[in-house]
Amino acid sequence: MGWQVAAFDISAEGKNKAIKLAQANNVKLDYQVGELETLNYQSQQFDVIALIYAHFPATVKSSIHKTLETYLRKGGIIIFEAFSKKHLEYLAVNDKVGGPKDIESLFSIEEIQSDFPDYEIIQLEEKEIELNEGLFHNGKGSVIRFVGKKK
């Protein structure tokens, strides 16, 4: 579709899965493995940043959001989906739904508003969803969804 796509993860296995999927769909993908601060991304490099179930330790998650925000151009879009703090209630009923088990690694609407204050909010909601994603994410869960445009 004409997009240049870059991705990163700390998991080499995640990269392997993504590369196979990209090849199967004839898509080029620049996929780096490592900690964000060791990668070579530049200020205002991206038009869109997607954070999909990117759960970082509580001690660094806000600082990682702030770092990623510097890589986004003015007018760029953040797309975010991750488990909410309410998700622990779902885990208590069904551990097959997966996700972090510590509340500090989960998200609230207030945290997202705090981490991304200079954004026009297109969508910001906490929502119950049904997961059916392989072996480790099956059942009802609670997520925070955020789409914002950088002012």
Side-chain angles (χ1 to χ4, degrees):
M1 297 186 72
W3 289 55
Q4 293 178 345
V5 179
F8 81 95
D9 198 328
I10 58 171
S11 166
E13 185 59 30
K15 177 181 180 177
N16 294 338
K17 288 180 180 180
I19 294 297
K20 285 178 185 175
L21 183 61
Q23 289 171 342
N25 289 282
N26 200 28
V27 173
K28 290 188 178 195
L29 178 62
D30 170 21
Y31 201 116
Q32 298 183 52
V33 175
E35 301 286 336
L36 180 60
E37 55 276 356
T38 67
L39 305 177
N40 295 318
Y41 298 128
Q42 304 298 313
S43 176
Q44 299 185 41
Q45 178 177 344
F46 298 109
D47 294 312
V48 177
I49 293 177
L51 296 166
I52 308 302
Y53 297 96
H55 291 273
F56 303 104
T59 56
V60 298
K61 68 182 182 180
S62 288
S63 65
I64 287 174
H65 289 167
K66 298 294 183 195
T67 299
L68 287 169
E69 193 266 338
T70 68
Y71 299 150
L72 189 64
R73 291 185 178 109
K74 184 177 180 181
I77 302 290
I78 288 276
I79 301 168
F80 175 97
E81 181 167 306
F83 291 114
S84 75
K85 293 186 183 298
K86 187 176 180 180
H87 186 68
L88 289 179
E89 296 172 22
Y90 293 84
L91 270 170
V93 174
N94 174 16
D95 66 348
K96 293 184 185 339
V97 72
K101 292 180 173 41
D102 64 307
I103 198 160
E104 294 83 16
S105 294
L106 302 171
F107 294 94
S108 69
I109 286 176
E110 294 77 17
E111 285 175 308
I112 297 305
Q113 289 172 321
S114 176
D115 285 358
F116 301 101
D118 298 321
Y119 285 75
E120 173 190 334
I121 295 173
I122 298 167
Q123 177 184 17
L124 180 57
E125 66 180 349
E126 184 171 9
K127 183 173 182 131
E128 179 181 273
I129 63 167
E130 183 76 31
L131 293 163
N132 185 11
E133 300 176 359
L135 299 175
F136 303 109
H137 294 103
N138 291 288
K140 289 185 181 176
S142 180
V143 298
I144 299 288
R145 289 184 172 162
F146 169 60
V147 179
K149 182 175 181 180
K150 187 175 178 183
K151 295 179 187 176

